Amino acid sequence: MMLWSQGPCTAHYSTHNRYAPHPKRRTGTVAQSSNMPQTLSSLVKSFQAVPDPMQRYRQLLYLAKGLEPIDQASLNSAFKVPGCVSQVWIIPTSSDGRIYYQADSDSQLTKGLAALLVKGLSGNTPEDIISVGPEFIELLGLNTALTPSRTNGLLNMFKLMQAQASELSCDE
């Protein structure tokens, strides 16, 4: 098992949110998103099946409860997501060519967003994770339930997870 650490192969990314969903755009369907792992696709479909934005919000809070606890010593700046209003940490490990994530946050809603990504991306190859486009964020249909800063935080978590997957693939 390999633990991610920042190194020379780390993908750099901007916290500028050019992929944030536009509040007036209608959400599409999962079929419109390419390169989405089955686990993430299933989560997107489950969120799309719920028409009420507040129920989607409750789904996130439910997902937050399912995250495994993380050793407090692991919650350091190396794993902290930049550009989030809340404190959030994402810790990747690699085993048998697949990436597995753990996450924690000081906010239950942010923890739910992290849990969604952990559940949707864990167990996939680095290549699968890196190839996912950010359009799935709009497909979740959370743009009416989340503030723009929370949506931006979700994008920042996703970009960090892709950078971590890239780094771990370089180390193998």
Side-chain angles (χ1 to χ4, degrees), residues 120-137:
L121 297 176
S122 284
N124 288 290
T125 65
E127 295 76 21
D128 288 342
I129 295 166
I130 293 164
S131 71
V132 175
E135 67 274 359
F136 80 89
I137 294 172

Side-chain angles (χ1 to χ4, degrees), residues 105-117:
S105 178
D106 61 353
S107 159
Q108 280 301 106
L109 180 58
T110 304
K111 191 182 245 187
L113 292 168
L116 185 147
L117 291 172

Side-chain angles (χ1 to χ4, degrees), residues 1-141:
M1 184 179 337
M2 182 178 289
L3 185 64
W4 177 77
S5 64
Q6 294 175 328
C9 191
T10 301
H12 296 283
Y13 63 91
S14 165
T15 57
H16 174 68
N17 191 355
R18 70 183 188 136
Y19 296 109
H22 189 277
K24 294 185 181 176
R25 281 191 202 142
R26 293 178 9 192
T27 55
T29 62
V30 175
Q32 292 173 326
S33 179
S34 60
N35 298 326
M36 196 182 308
Q38 181 59 42
T39 50
L40 185 58
S41 179
S42 294
L43 281 169
V44 169
K45 286 177 187 175
S46 73
F47 273 82
Q48 288 178 338
V50 178
D52 179 26
M54 287 311 297
Q55 187 60 33
R56 289 178 181 168
Y57 190 93
R58 285 187 206 100
Q59 278 183 283
L60 290 172
L61 296 176
Y62 177 78
L63 286 172
K65 293 177 185 177
L67 276 180
E68 295 291 324
I70 296 177
D71 176 29
Q72 293 297 309
S74 298
L75 303 182
N76 60 56
S77 62
F79 303 114
K80 192 170 181 185
V81 178
C84 285
V85 175
S86 302
Q87 294 189 77
V88 59
W89 298 267
I90 298 180
I91 303 169
T93 54
S94 176
S95 178
D96 298 325
R98 300 201 174 267
I99 307 293
Y100 299 90
Y101 295 99
Q102 290 182 290
D104 198 4
S105 178
D106 61 353
S107 159
Q108 280 301 106
L109 180 58
T110 304
K111 191 182 245 187
L113 292 168
L116 185 147
L117 291 172
V118 166
K119 191 171 182 178
L121 297 176
S122 284
N124 288 290
T125 65
E127 295 76 21
D128 288 342
I129 295 166
I130 293 164
S131 71
V132 175
E135 67 274 359
F136 80 89
I137 294 172
E138 185 173 350
L139 295 175
L140 288 165

